[in-house]
Amino acid sequence: MIEHAKWIAATEAEQAPCIEKKFSLGKVRSAILDITGLGYFLAEINGKAVTDDLFNPVFSDYRERPLNNLLYPITDKMTHRVYFCRYDVTNLLECGDNILSVRLGNGWYRQTKRTAEGHLEFGNKLVARFSLRYVDGQGNRHEVLSDGSEVWRQTEVTDNNLFYGETQDLRILDKTLEYGNVTVEGNFETTFTLQTCPAERVVRTVVPKLVAQHGSKRVYDVGETVSGWVRLRTCGVEGDVVTVNHSECITRDGELDVNSAGGDIVNDRGERQLQLVKYVLDGQERELYPKFCKQAFRYFEVDGNAEVVCVDVVHTDLSHRTTFNCGNAVLNWLYTAYQRTQLINMHDGIPSDCPHRERLGYTGDGQITASATMTLFSSEAFYRKWIRDICDCQNIHNGHVQHTAPFYGGGGGPVGWGGAIVQVPYAFYMHYGDKSLVREVLPHITKWVDYITTRTDNGLVCREENGGWCLGDWATLDVVIPQEFVNTTLFVSMLDKAAYLATEVEQPELANSFAELRKKYQKSVTCAFYDDKTGSFAGGVQGADAFALAAGLGDERTLTNLVNKYTADCRFDTGFIGTYVLVEQLIAHDQIDLTYDLLTSVKKGSFGYLKKRGETTIWEYLDTKWCSHAHPMFGAVAEFLPKVLLGFPEKEYTTNVVLRPVFPRKLRHADGSAMYDGKVVQVEWKRQKNNIRMQIFVTDGLNVSVVYNGKSTSLQVGKNEITLTE
């Protein structure tokens, strides 16, 4: 067991040491390796890779660390967890001598260069820990443990950082290996947990196009924004240097514009945050790529004697659960761009805000995109892990939930971010129906609700931690919607979802307490923000009436005002939370044609605007390119495309599928598919005069029906054709 092993380390100075364990075996029937390394590890047995998984273990709040040097002060007490990986290595072992090699990289554990959020490293030495359990030819059980008898050696990776890239000196590969003895490091308070979250790997390759040359520098376009790395082939003179720099944008002159990807950020040592990979050549022909970092880019620049082989696209390996296509190019772009943007933000077991500038599991971005990701991808194990991160990073004393999970600094707000402790488990339950997870999380939800009630004045949620942020919505256009209004209406919505979850696991008293609190905060919002003369809340700015409707507030005028506002100015002036709430409420109130117009608009501050610019991913701000071009948060509304226009229900693990499609007047056709209980349902519809002609394919084992205008039609296994009259 990995708990029986010891933490072992090379010297503090080593950026990427390789630790080796020699051991001898007789005949082996079976063998299991439990292994972890902090930050990242790559393991080989007898020179063969144990797995093609990358960047393991997944990121977690590994251990207690100093939190007194942060941009936003936090004094919370959290719980800690280290994930370990388990592999069947029977076929890698030999009868006789064996070598287990463990290469270590800094990862999140010893990230010391990016200091925008403060100093957040966990330890000053990279450590490894492993247990090899095997059954010999006679059926006897044995265990080989990391115990301090190992040795370490230097590798060609002389520097590596998640944000700043990697340096490899290939001349080290030609040197005679020199070994040092490892040190045994002390245990620290943590929980060892088997990693079941899907790992990262190379999921595909892309051949880039040369678009500019400036002397020895060559600029390439991948054709889309990706996460991963550039694979090179080199054979230059010993001592020659090859560099690869990366960006999302280029200038009109064909030079890299690195600012949106983090190049405008400077750390406390005056270093620009560049995704820069550097190779010092040894004169031999080699194929090269980074070992312990990945970049996010559409464009890259190669300087030096090297041939570009391809671009390896790297992210968590998630399978697609739905497909979607329709007769509107903007909606097709939105669906594809959101898929791409979300996937390149699925790293290290967290849904990050962006894959370059910050790379953090912001609880605001993550809770807005959770249901969309579950709709488009099979991601149960991924979110089971991230829900655990959110709970681990909750203050055990007062219930405060962090703005990032695992905690790594960052600004946010009490409900739009902290409410992830409700919203993500709620989305998880709606998709996967797992009541055991609800029971596990409900105590955390209750603590958080109690915490928020202490952050109110006059019944409004108006503050969080002293010295920190208290955001409402984020990335709005122009006028800013009141923070107290956003946080309190969101809190009302969260209480409604918390009550639902408590009811589902038969805790009626808890559900009633949430429901009573909900009424109290509804009343406070109405008293503070409702205009009885107009029927609007907070002046109706930036989706305010949508927030109110989502909280069960307002009357017919509230909806009318909302519809009139966005009919007149067909674009999103909302932030990323308000955009989702606005679309959700318009759909809930049967305003499908207005929703269609908003989602297909080409005005500045719309998805069509990004499409017109030739973007392949979704920006952090819909109206300005100054920040990240790969933030999935606004694109969360893409989940409504297969769910509404094709009628696919949320719950993935069911055999009873009720389709409830809706047909915007301006849309001529749509088609797509969804998986239920591992079986596919395919839907296609076309408008013909006043009729909708539908073709639906049903896989054996599913019970599928279509509901339209109150009438239900049961379908047969195989191909079905039905006509609906509008």
Side-chain angles (χ1 to χ4, degrees):
M1 301 292 288
I2 200 163
E3 290 85 355
H4 302 158
K6 295 179 180 179
W7 289 114
I8 54 176
T11 64
E12 181 178 339
E14 286 304 310
Q15 286 288 300
C18 180
I19 292 175
E20 295 184 355
K21 175 83 169 186
K22 294 183 178 181
F23 55 97
S24 296
L25 302 174
K27 183 178 180 181
V28 173
R29 288 186 184 177
S30 63
I32 298 294
L33 175 66
D34 288 349
I35 184 169
T36 192
L38 303 177
Y40 296 134
F41 75 86
L42 292 170
E44 294 182 347
I45 292 180
N46 300 321
K48 297 179 181 179
V50 168
T51 177
D52 61 356
D53 293 350
L54 301 169
F55 303 109
N56 276 334
V58 288
F59 182 24
S60 60
D61 200 279
Y62 309 110
R63 62 185 294 182
E64 190 172 7
R65 61 195 146 146
L67 296 176
N68 56 0
N69 192 9
L70 303 183
L71 182 60
Y72 312 119
I74 289 291
T75 58
D76 290 2
K77 174 69 174 176
M78 308 172 204
T79 53
H80 312 290
R81 189 180 308 271
V82 169
Y83 285 90
F84 67 91
C85 301
R86 176 169 291 166
Y87 302 106
D88 185 332
V89 295
T90 308
N91 294 334
L92 296 179
L93 295 172
E94 298 176 356
C95 187
D97 294 337
N98 293 266
I99 299 179
L100 169 62
S101 303
V102 186
R103 296 184 62 160
L104 298 174
N106 287 318
W108 292 98
Y109 187 76
R110 194 173 68 173
Q111 193 291 114
T112 60
K113 290 188 177 182
R114 187 181 193 275
T115 56
E117 311 294 347
H119 292 270
L120 284 151
E121 58 268 27
F122 290 85
N124 56 10
K125 281 186 178 182
L126 304 181
V127 292
R129 190 171 183 134
F130 54 81
S131 163
L132 176 65
R133 290 171 287 126
Y134 67 94
V135 178
D136 66 20
Q138 288 73 46
N140 299 312
R141 300 181 182 275
H142 306 270
E143 190 170 24
V144 176
L145 300 170
S146 54
D147 57 9
S149 63
E150 299 79 6
V151 294
W152 67 270
R153 59 177 173 83
Q154 186 183 19
T155 68
E156 76 277 13
V157 179
T158 58
D159 192 20
N160 65 100
N161 182 273
L162 287 170
F163 298 94
Y164 284 77
E166 182 169 305
T167 299
Q168 296 181 18
D169 188 342
L170 304 173
R171 297 171 297 182
I172 293 173
L173 296 172
D174 301 322
K175 293 182 178 179
T176 302
L177 298 180
E178 296 183 5
Y179 290 90
N181 294 320
V182 302
T183 57
V184 174
E185 303 297 307
N187 286 323
F188 46 81
E189 181 184 344
T190 196
T191 299
F192 288 104
T193 303
L194 177 64
Q195 180 173 317
T196 57
C197 175
E200 295 183 59
R201 55 175 50 95
V202 176
V203 295
R204 59 190 173 97
T205 60
V206 180
V207 178
K209 178 182 178 182
L210 179 68
V211 293
Q213 187 157 358
H214 310 281
S216 63
K217 299 178 179 179
R218 304 177 306 284
V219 178
Y220 294 83
D221 180 3
V222 185
E224 59 180 291
T225 301
V226 298
S227 60
W229 51 62
V230 179
R231 188 180 289 266
L232 300 178
R233 184 177 294 112
T234 66
C235 58
V237 176
E238 181 177 352
D240 281 359
V241 176
V242 174
T243 60
V244 188
N245 201 0
H246 307 77
S247 72
E248 291 181 307
C249 312
I250 56 173
T251 67
R252 291 181 178 179
D253 297 328
E255 296 183 343
L256 296 191
D257 180 351
V258 298
N259 287 342
S260 70
D264 58 336
I265 300 172
V266 179
N267 67 13
D268 58 8
R269 289 179 283 187
E271 300 167 322
R272 293 181 71 193
Q273 186 178 305
L274 299 177
Q275 302 179 94
L276 191 63
V277 179
K278 177 180 176 181
Y279 303 100
V280 182
L281 306 185
D282 62 350
Q284 297 187 36
E285 182 174 336
R286 298 186 184 276
E287 200 163 280
L288 303 173
Y289 57 91
K291 299 298 189 296
F292 293 111
C293 69
K294 56 252 180 179
Q295 292 72 49
F297 57 98
R298 174 172 175 171
Y299 303 95
F300 63 91
E301 175 190 87
V302 179
D303 187 1
N305 188 1
E307 173 191 348
V308 174
V309 176
C310 65
V311 170
D312 291 331
V313 180
V314 178
H315 54 68
T316 302
D317 192 9
L318 299 178
S319 61
H320 293 260
R321 184 183 161 249
T322 59
T323 63
F324 175 81
N325 179 69
C326 74
N328 183 275
V330 175
L331 293 185
N332 292 337
W333 179 91
L334 169 60
Y335 187 80
T336 301
Y338 172 71
Q339 282 186 313
R340 180 180 293 117
T341 310
Q342 190 63 62
L343 281 174
I344 65 175
N345 275 285
M346 304 294 267
H347 296 286
D348 302 304
I350 63 172
S352 61
D353 63 325
C354 61
H356 33 50
R357 294 179 66 88
E358 297 169 285
R359 306 181 182 221
L360 301 178
Y362 270 100
T363 46
D365 308 52
Q367 68 170 294
I368 283 293
T369 58
S371 183
T373 309
M374 295 174 200
T375 297
L376 272 61
F377 305 102
S378 295
S379 47
E380 180 182 5
F382 187 96
Y383 277 96
R384 193 179 294 276
K385 182 266 180 186
W386 196 55
I387 290 169
R388 184 178 287 147
D389 291 333
I390 298 168
C391 294
D392 280 347
C393 293
Q394 183 178 34
N395 187 344
I396 64 175
H397 296 307
N398 71 359
H400 173 240
V401 173
Q402 312 302 330
H403 300 152
T404 52
F407 176 64
Y408 212 79
V415 185
W417 280 252
I421 199 123
V422 179
Q423 178 59 37
V424 184
Y426 174 81
F428 190 94
Y429 179 70
M430 297 304 291
H431 282 268
Y432 306 122
D434 186 348
K435 292 187 177 182
S436 65
L437 182 134
V438 175
R439 294 188 187 96
E440 180 184 340
V441 174
L442 265 176
H444 294 274
I445 291 175
T446 304
K447 283 184 180 180
W448 176 75
V449 168
D450 291 342
Y451 168 81
I452 294 298
T453 62
T454 69
R455 264 52 186 172
T456 63
D457 285 336
N458 301 316
L460 300 174
V461 182
C462 59
R463 62 183 180 276
E464 198 178 16
E465 297 298 281
N466 293 332
W469 286 17
C470 183
L471 291 181
D473 207 350
W474 178 250
T476 55
L477 306 183
D478 307 320
V479 179
V480 177
I481 190 170
Q483 296 172 355
E484 297 87 350
F485 174 77
V486 172
N487 278 298
T488 312
T489 53
L490 285 176
F491 187 45
V492 170
S493 299
M494 296 299 177
L495 287 168
D496 191 33
K497 292 169 182 175
Y500 174 81
L501 292 176
T503 300
E504 287 293 290
V505 294
E506 300 176 349
Q507 295 192 32
E509 291 184 4
L510 186 58
N512 289 337
S513 70
F514 291 146
E516 289 302 312
L517 265 181
R518 180 176 182 268
K519 294 177 184 176
K520 173 184 173 182
Y521 283 94
Q522 280 179 316
K523 183 176 180 180
S524 298
V525 171
T526 301
C527 290
F529 293 104
Y530 182 60
D531 186 338
D532 191 47
K533 294 180 180 179
T534 65
S536 277
F537 289 77
V541 299
Q542 296 176 317
D545 288 330
F547 280 101
L549 291 169
L553 299 171
D555 54 30
E556 291 181 1
R557 295 176 300 162
T558 311
L559 176 61
T560 299
N561 294 340
L562 184 70
V563 169
N564 290 342
K565 170 182 168 59
Y566 287 100
T567 299
D569 184 17
C570 195
R571 66 167 185 165
F572 293 108
D573 62 346
T574 41
F576 78 93
I577 302 173
T579 295
Y580 186 90
V581 173
L582 172 60
V583 172
E584 178 188 53
Q585 289 305 305
L586 289 176
I587 293 170
H589 290 85
D590 299 322
Q591 297 296 321
I592 189 65
D593 290 319
L594 175 55
T595 305
Y596 178 87
D597 289 342
L598 274 172
L599 291 178
T600 59
S601 173
V602 295
K603 288 184 176 181
K604 194 173 185 179
S606 67
F607 297 112
Y609 173 72
L610 299 184
K611 179 183 179 298
K612 280 198 307 181
R613 293 181 57 91
E615 294 295 321
T616 64
T617 47
I618 296 170
W619 293 359
E620 181 175 4
Y621 293 82
L622 292 182
D623 67 326
T624 177
K625 66 176 184 178
W626 75 268
C627 212
S628 161
H629 287 209
H631 260 66
M633 56 190 190
F634 274 105
V637 294
E639 81 165 291
F640 297 115
L641 300 179
K643 286 171 66 172
V644 176
L645 300 184
L646 298 175
F648 291 126
E650 287 181 322
K651 198 168 290 294
E652 181 175 336
Y653 293 101
T654 182
T655 58
N656 296 310
V657 181
V658 181
L659 304 173
R660 301 178 187 273
V662 179
F663 311 106
R665 284 187 300 235
K666 295 179 183 178
L667 188 62
R668 305 302 303 173
H669 65 86
D671 64 82
S673 64
M675 300 293 292
Y676 294 96
D677 194 36
K679 306 173 184 69
V680 69
V681 178
Q682 296 175 331
V683 173
E684 179 181 359
W685 62 261
K686 294 181 180 180
R687 188 181 298 280
Q688 295 180 349
K689 296 183 180 180
N690 294 326
N691 295 329
I692 301 293
R693 296 279 295 175
M694 296 192 73
Q695 290 188 352
I696 304 167
F697 178 83
V698 177
T699 302
D700 190 15
L702 296 179
N703 299 312
V704 181
S705 59
V706 177
V707 174
Y708 183 71
N709 283 341
K711 180 182 178 182
S712 178
T713 303
S714 297
L715 304 180
Q716 305 292 322
V717 171
K719 185 177 180 180
N720 297 261
E721 294 188 2
I722 61 175
T723 300
L724 305 176
T725 302
E726 291 190 281

